[in-house]
Amino acid sequence: MLLLLVGSGLALLAATQPWFAIRLTDTANHASTITVAGSVAAPALTALSLAGLALTAALAIAGPVFRIVLALLGVLLGVSVMISAITAVSDAVGASSAAITTATGVAGEASVRRLVQSVETELWPWLAIVAAVLIILASAAVVVFSRLWPGPSRKYQTRFAGEDGRPADEVMAEATDEAADDTPDAAPATDDDEARAAAESPEADRPGGPDRDTAIDSWDELTRGEDPTR
């Protein structure tokens, strides 16, 4: 992870530095020099570098499966950084055409190339290539060794999980079973008690039975704004 962080940081640093010093010659044979930054020569480099930093942060809390997925994305990210840097170095004039057009007002590939007298490549694009190699190696190392990493911190588990790491629903189910076991069983009612209670109940003579009346009473209490669950 530290190697991935260093590689992404170096790529971001290289993107902010000058990559090419281009010497131009105008029609009057007067030369001028244009400095082209890495963010202009390789526009995607800044976004790729920031993505590498975010990838490092995600690896810190990812699970075993997502570590492999993120590592494969890291390899792809490093390859993209390398392609971006190598493309700019291999054709410095083409990569700097936007800066040349802004400075001179001349557009068109052929016209821009005729204005260029010489190109001097700085150290920073090569540093970006080195950073890409570091990102690729670090991501490949994650694929190989991530199974040896410890698991994520307990603070990323379910809030109501048990101390042994079990899911919250299992803990709640076990607590409910224990409470049911601790509740004393009521004495069984005899047939005489049940018959006497049914005969004395004022709801026995009502059509529909007590369940229907209870439901109607609950709706009436809700209409009056009272709590029927009391």
Side-chain angles (χ1 to χ4, degrees):
M1 288 178 59
L2 180 60
L3 189 62
L4 182 59
L5 183 65
V6 171
S8 301
L10 289 177
L12 183 61
L13 175 63
T16 62
Q17 302 302 315
W19 281 25
F20 307 116
I22 298 180
R23 188 176 180 86
L24 302 178
T25 301
D26 58 14
T27 56
N29 293 328
H30 295 145
S32 61
T33 302
I34 297 177
T35 300
V36 182
S39 58
V40 177
L45 188 59
T46 301
L48 293 173
S49 304
L50 294 176
L53 297 176
L55 183 69
T56 306
L59 279 173
I61 60 174
V65 177
F66 284 101
R67 290 172 190 166
I68 304 300
V69 175
L70 292 174
L72 295 177
L73 291 176
V75 173
L76 181 61
L77 191 69
V79 172
S80 300
V81 172
M82 181 174 291
I83 292 175
S84 181
I86 291 178
T87 301
V89 172
S90 60
D91 187 9
V93 176
S96 306
S97 60
I100 297 174
T101 300
T102 302
T104 63
V106 177
E109 181 179 0
S111 300
V112 168
R113 292 184 182 277
R114 282 196 295 268
L115 291 177
V116 177
Q117 181 178 3
S118 62
V119 178
E120 181 180 354
T121 303
E122 305 292 341
L123 174 66
W124 299 106
W126 305 111
L127 181 62
I129 296 176
V130 173
V133 174
L134 291 179
I135 294 174
I136 294 174
L137 292 178
S139 301
V142 172
V143 175
V144 177
F145 299 109
S146 64
R147 61 176 59 90
L148 304 178
W149 293 7
S153 174
R154 184 176 297 273
K155 67 180 180 178
Y156 297 107
Q157 297 178 1
T158 306
R159 179 177 180 182
F160 295 102
E163 295 180 356
D164 54 357
R166 291 180 299 163
D169 54 353
E170 294 183 5
V171 177
M172 294 297 294
E174 182 178 350
T176 303
D177 295 339
E178 292 177 354
D181 294 338
D182 294 338
T183 303
D185 295 335
T190 63
D191 294 340
D192 294 340
D193 294 336
E194 293 179 355
R196 186 181 305 107
E200 294 176 355
S201 175
E203 298 174 346
D205 297 335
R206 299 180 185 177
D211 293 338
R212 178 176 180 276
D213 295 338
T214 302
I216 294 175
D217 292 340
S218 298
W219 279 110
D220 292 339
E221 291 178 354
L222 285 174
T223 303
R224 294 193 298 269
E226 299 176 359
D227 182 10
T229 62
R230 70 185 183 279

